[in-house]
Amino acid sequence: MERNMDRIYLDSNATTIVDPRVKEAMDPFFCQQYGNPNSLHSFGTEVHPAMRLAMDRLYCGIGAGDQDDIIINGCASEGNNHVLKGIWFDMIRQGPKNEILTTQVEHPCVRNSCAFLETLGAKVTFMPVNADGIVDAETLRRFLHPDRTALVSVMWANNETGLIFPVRELAEICRENGVLFHTDAVQAIGKVPVDVSRVPVDFLTFSAHKFHGPKGVGGLFIRKGLKLAPLLHGGEQMGGKRAGTVNVPYLVGMGVAMELAVENLAFEDSAVRRLRDRLEDAILAIPDTLVVGRRELRTPNTILASFRGIEGEAMIWDLNAAGVAASTGSACASESLEPNPTFVAMCISDDLAHTGIRFSLSRFTTAEEIDQAAAAIRRSAERLRGISSSYDKGK
Ligand code: 7TS
């Protein structure tokens, strides 16, 4: 495979390398079978079997039933906007239920959509995480008001910490109370089992580029019988729920990527986890470091580490110069100077909270890369602490 052998990619929660099998499956749909699937001629109709196969792979991958819907869209940001704004339009606008319950640690596409809906009159409550960094059943019960909560939106796994939320329990509580439940499963697909036949979510969003598919295509699961106002009006694509010509090559790629993601779950849980733990052990062997969240509560590929006395961005630059790609938390939130709410809830001091660095692996990460990255991290920590005025070397 053509990979950049001189660089080490440890930012798979931001995006992933496209699996060559995905790329290969997409290829014929650019210059050969390029018809618009809504056309009546053979250029249009000949792409239908591939689209059907891709949809089957998506349904099968998340355990959706025939009567459920999966809307193909442009990204998870779109899917999350669609759920939140659709619920505002269908329910909140008319009352009496006017509240959205979400968490303080959602991706900005959820948080900012909620903030926008507040300006239209929705009441939004951002639930805090507990000392483990997750929203637990007790917290949800405390905040849930079945008479006024229209929707609960809680991510399946957090992009920065990798912490896995008890989505099944939370969805069951919502179901018992007649409240709709949405989960952003972007960071869960391909890392932990995601099965909507066992977890009673009403809406679920995912994005192909987080599981070795192409960027710019995602999916929104809608439980059978539920209605959701469209975000994009236009043609009758996706049963009128999302207008716009379907991106056939990307849908085909996402289907293959989903199938491979599910096939890979056992490998993720064993081999990727082992490499993650190896890197984590090496990081923790550096004095005055901390990793956020218990290992067993996290997706197998993620580490959010803090190095006392080191500015996160300084280490990112050092590592980048050494050919190692990591990130300071989420790339989408990298402009923000607010303390991370997970750090705050977990009582992690400000000093450490500003030094978070995320390392996220994938099934393509090798042991050799992990050992080289660990050595680069240690060298950078020593160098930066050597020139730091805030790090007390004698301590
Ligand atoms: N939801 C979660 C949990 C995410 O991690 C991301 C991307 C999105 C939604 C948005 O997905 P998209 O399909 O619209 O791109 N998260 C990150 C990240 O952690 N670093 O860069 C992007």
Side-chain angles (χ1 to χ4, degrees), residues 11 13-15 74-78 80 106-110 155 157-160 184-187 205-210 216-218 327 329-333 358:
D11 199 12
N13 285 8
T15 197
C75 55
S77 297
E78 181 185 329
N80 289 336
E106 297 299 310
H107 186 270
C109 66
V110 170
M155 64 200 333
N158 183 271
N159 46 317
E160 295 185 302
D184 171 350
V186 165
Q187 298 290 347
T205 38
F206 57 88
S207 185
H209 75 103
K210 306 288 185 174
V217 65
S327 72
S330 161
C332 324
R358 178 181 71 183

Side-chain angles (χ1 to χ4, degrees), residues 68-69 175 196-197 199-203 221-226:
D68 299 324
D69 256 329
R175 180 63 59 94
V196 298
S197 72
V199 181
V201 300
D202 297 302
F203 307 104
F221 161 85
I222 304 178
R223 178 80 61 192
K224 74 170 177 197
L226 290 176

Side-chain angles (χ1 to χ4, degrees), residues 43-339:
F43 286 85
T45 54
E46 73 190 6
V47 302
H48 290 184
M51 289 174 70
R52 257 196 306 276
L53 176 60
M55 292 305 292
D56 285 348
R57 286 175 161 146
L58 297 176
Y59 273 75
C60 185
I62 62 167
D66 293 347
Q67 310 285 308
D68 299 324
D69 256 329
I70 296 181
I71 310 293
I72 304 307
N73 55 27
C75 55
S77 297
E78 181 185 329
N80 289 336
N81 270 262
H82 188 174
V83 173
L84 295 160
K85 292 173 184 173
I87 290 295
W88 180 84
F89 191 85
D90 288 336
M91 289 178 77
I92 296 176
R93 192 173 60 106
Q94 287 134 17
K97 290 191 168 196
N98 72 339
E99 183 187 42
I100 298 172
L101 259 188
T102 184
T103 80
Q104 292 177 354
V105 296
E106 297 299 310
H107 186 270
C109 66
V110 170
R111 275 189 283 129
N112 293 339
S113 296
C114 286
F116 170 70
L117 293 175
E118 275 182 312
T119 69
L120 300 183
K123 177 174 163 37
V124 182
T125 304
F126 295 91
M127 293 183 282
V129 293
N130 66 13
D132 276 329
I134 55 169
V135 169
D136 55 20
E138 194 209 321
T139 304
L140 176 61
R141 284 213 171 83
R142 191 149 45 86
F143 281 89
L144 191 70
H145 297 103
D147 51 329
R148 66 165 203 253
T149 309
L151 178 79
V152 173
S153 176
V154 178
M155 64 200 333
W156 198 303
N158 183 271
N159 46 317
E160 295 185 302
T161 58
L163 283 162
I164 301 165
F165 287 65
V167 165
R168 184 176 181 169
E169 226 184 326
L170 303 180
E172 280 166 358
I173 294 170
C174 289
R175 180 63 59 94
E176 281 159 24
N177 286 282
V179 176
L180 294 170
F181 184 84
H182 162 242
T183 188
D184 171 350
V186 165
Q187 298 290 347
I189 303 278
K191 295 171 188 158
V192 293
V194 170
D195 183 353
V196 298
S197 72
R198 297 158 59 89
V199 181
V201 300
D202 297 302
F203 307 104
L204 177 145
T205 38
F206 57 88
S207 185
H209 75 103
K210 306 288 185 174
F211 52 93
H212 304 289
K215 293 167 192 57
V217 65
L220 161 59
F221 161 85
I222 304 178
R223 178 80 61 192
K224 74 170 177 197
L226 290 176
K227 103 182 195 6
L228 193 65
L231 201 56
L232 299 185
H233 296 85
E236 281 304 302
Q237 294 92 351
M238 295 290 139
K241 295 192 178 83
R242 199 267 188 186
T245 304
V246 177
N247 191 336
V248 178
Y250 283 43
L251 166 58
V252 167
M254 180 159 67
V256 175
M258 176 67 88
E259 192 169 82
L260 294 172
V262 174
E263 269 173 33
N264 182 66
L265 278 174
F267 184 82
E268 188 83 15
D269 197 40
S270 53
V272 176
R273 182 184 295 281
R274 259 198 306 281
L275 289 183
R276 190 275 307 266
D277 288 351
R278 180 161 160 166
L279 181 60
E280 189 161 328
D281 290 342
I283 288 170
L284 290 171
I286 301 170
D288 289 333
T289 58
L290 169 148
V291 170
V292 179
R294 304 211 309 264
R295 282 182 207 207
E296 67 278 14
L297 296 182
R298 280 184 271 134
T299 47
N301 78 319
T302 306
I303 299 171
L304 182 61
S306 261
F307 302 81
R308 189 180 296 283
I310 292 175
E311 200 56 56
E313 287 196 0
M315 184 176 270
I316 295 297
W317 287 119
D318 249 13
L319 292 179
N320 187 49
V324 177
S327 72
T328 50
S330 161
C332 324
S334 56
E335 308 278 295
S336 161
L337 291 175
E338 292 288 301

